[in-house]
């Protein structure tokens, strides 16, 4: 493209129709609710600085946020610890899967907040003197990013808690290392509830926009986190957000992003907009196959590559 297209006028339904032709990928089998997700759910949404949200068909179909919650958990942990969360969790990419049973060898810290170990820990760093209190505080914080009250899918939360054996293993390992101080089961319960928050493409795009726009929600005008926290969070999305596919993503798409096993990818294009693509079939790195294709096209057409 010679010049970037205007986001407001961009034909998101045409892009959706185009990526729906792609049949590759497999749905996550980690919990029954994801294994049974509609494989042809496909939505694309953009949230702009003027507070408008533009979406394709399926833009308001609900899904569980899963790992797309991790940037927001990191931001909330940074806010509640006055930045000290940066001493408790690393910020280096792992080159490994999201649920790898691995901590930093010299410190016992999780490698970064975008993998499961890191997100289990950031959930535990949010203020609250009980798991319920932390969970409530996380839901309230996520709702401020969204600009409307969000809810938890309790069935998904139960499945995540019951079936998340690797998450329980990670929590126990972090306790053994002294990096997690609450009970392992409580930590996984809070993390499971955070992954089970219901969003849709439109509202998740607003959450991504809030990070992209320096921590201010473009719909409510509320400052949700400081500009420094928003910047730090987007920086870690850029380096670690697509797990062992982060380098490939950064080259081809060039927008800081977080992938998830629900097939949602939330993107924060600094200073420009928030965007979401969701479709459940995943590639080997747990990234939505259609989402990746749509993100590449969007980035090119709208001129969003940060090194573009
Ligand atoms: N809830 C999922 C898990 O903990 C989230 C993983 C993901 O979306 N990549 O395994």
């Amino acid at each position: 493209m010679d010049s970037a297209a205007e986001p407001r006028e961009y034909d998101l339904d045409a892009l959706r129709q185009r990526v729906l032709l792609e049949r590759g990928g497999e749905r996550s089998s980690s919990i029954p609710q994801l294994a049974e997700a509609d494989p042809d759910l496909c939505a694309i949404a953009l949230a702009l600085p003027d507070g408008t949200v533009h979406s394709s068909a399926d833009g308001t179909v609900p899904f569980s946020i899963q790992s797309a919650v991790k940037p927001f958990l990191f931001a909330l942990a940074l806010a509640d610890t006055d930045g000290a969360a940066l001493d408790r969790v690393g910020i280096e990419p792992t080159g490994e899967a999201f649920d790898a049973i691995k901590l930093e060898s010299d410190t016992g810290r999780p490698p970064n907040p975008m993998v499961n170990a890191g997100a289990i820990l950031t959930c535990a760093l949010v203020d609250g003197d009980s798991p319920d209190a932390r969970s409530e505080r996380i839901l309230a914080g996520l709702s401020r990013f969204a600009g409307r009250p969000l809810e938890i899918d309790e069935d998904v939360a139960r499945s995540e808690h019951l079936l998340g054996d690797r998450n329980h293993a990670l929590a126990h390992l972090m306790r053994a290392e002294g990096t997690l101080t609450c009970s392992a089961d409580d930590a996984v319960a809070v993390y499971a509830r955070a992954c089970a928050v219901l969003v849709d493409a439109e509202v998740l795009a607003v959450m991504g926009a809030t990070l992209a726009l320096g921590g201010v929600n473009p719909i409510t005008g509320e400052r949700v986190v400081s500009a420094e926290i928003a910047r730090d969070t987007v920086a870690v999305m850029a380096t670690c957000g697509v797990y062992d596919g982060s380098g490939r993503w950064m080259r081809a798409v060039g927008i800081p992003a977080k992938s998830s096993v629900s097939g949602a990818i939330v993107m924060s294009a600094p200073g420009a907009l928030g965007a979401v693509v969701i479709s459940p079939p995943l590639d080997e790195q747990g990234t939505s196959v259609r989402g990746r294709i749509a993100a590449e096209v969007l980035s090119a057409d709208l001129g969003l590559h940060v090194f573009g």
Side-chain angles (χ1 to χ4, degrees):
M1 291 268 320
D2 294 327
S3 60
E6 169 59 44
R8 278 168 204 80
E9 285 152 22
Y10 194 80
D11 192 344
L12 295 171
D13 278 308
L15 177 56
R16 174 178 181 273
Q17 288 301 337
R18 188 168 146 195
V19 299
L20 265 172
L21 299 173
E22 170 63 50
R23 310 304 299 173
E26 297 289 333
R27 287 168 290 182
S28 169
S29 56
S30 59
I31 57 170
Q33 292 89 342
L34 291 175
E36 289 154 17
D38 174 5
D40 286 327
L41 164 64
C42 186
I44 308 168
L46 305 177
L48 305 183
D50 65 2
T52 57
V53 179
H54 304 261
S55 67
S56 69
D58 286 355
T60 56
V61 175
F63 53 86
S64 59
I65 190 168
Q66 298 297 335
S67 285
V69 77
K70 289 169 176 170
F72 307 100
L73 296 175
F74 180 48
L76 294 173
L78 285 171
D80 275 3
T81 59
D82 217 3
L86 278 169
D87 301 327
R88 305 278 302 273
V89 57
I91 53 166
E92 298 301 335
T94 63
E96 297 198 49
F98 62 88
D99 55 358
I101 309 291
K102 199 157 175 196
L103 302 175
E104 285 183 349
S105 54
D106 47 345
T107 65
R109 303 185 309 176
N112 69 64
M114 303 296 142
V115 293
N116 287 15
I120 293 167
L121 190 72
T122 52
C123 277
L125 295 177
V126 169
D127 279 347
D129 50 16
S130 68
D132 283 350
R134 278 195 293 281
S135 193
E136 280 304 310
R137 188 164 172 83
I138 287 168
L139 190 60
L142 296 175
S143 299
R144 292 170 67 213
F145 276 107
R148 68 162 160 86
L150 298 176
E151 288 174 10
I152 293 173
D153 183 325
E154 296 294 344
D155 287 336
V156 169
R158 252 188 306 279
S159 296
E160 293 276 345
H161 189 197
L162 275 173
L163 302 173
D165 290 323
R166 297 183 74 85
N167 292 331
H168 287 278
L170 283 166
H172 282 285
L173 192 58
M174 287 192 283
R175 267 193 67 82
E177 292 290 338
T179 35
L180 180 71
T181 48
C182 69
S183 102
D185 193 58
D186 285 353
V188 175
V190 176
Y191 169 71
R193 289 177 67 74
C195 290
V197 169
L198 282 174
V199 290
D200 57 40
E202 291 192 357
V203 82
L204 187 55
V206 175
M207 296 173 75
T210 301
L211 286 177
L213 303 172
V216 176
N217 182 305
I219 291 183
T220 62
E222 184 189 2
R223 172 163 292 288
V224 181
V225 289
S226 70
E228 187 184 359
I229 288 176
R231 186 205 63 187
D232 284 354
T233 304
V234 175
V236 179
M237 290 165 78
T239 50
C240 307
V242 190
Y243 310 124
D244 44 342
S246 295
R248 191 159 67 101
W249 176 274
M250 216 44 203
R251 189 200 70 81
V253 180
I255 307 173
K258 183 72 212 75
S259 56
S260 74
V261 290
S262 51
I265 305 173
V266 59
M267 291 174 268
S268 298
L273 51 78
V276 165
V277 288
I278 155 94
S279 196
L282 308 173
D283 67 15
E284 315 74 58
Q285 274 107 24
T287 307
S288 168
V289 171
R290 294 188 186 114
R292 170 187 289 281
I293 298 168
E296 284 188 26
V297 175
L298 269 182
S299 175
D301 288 355
L302 300 180
L304 296 173
H305 199 301
V306 290
F307 304 115

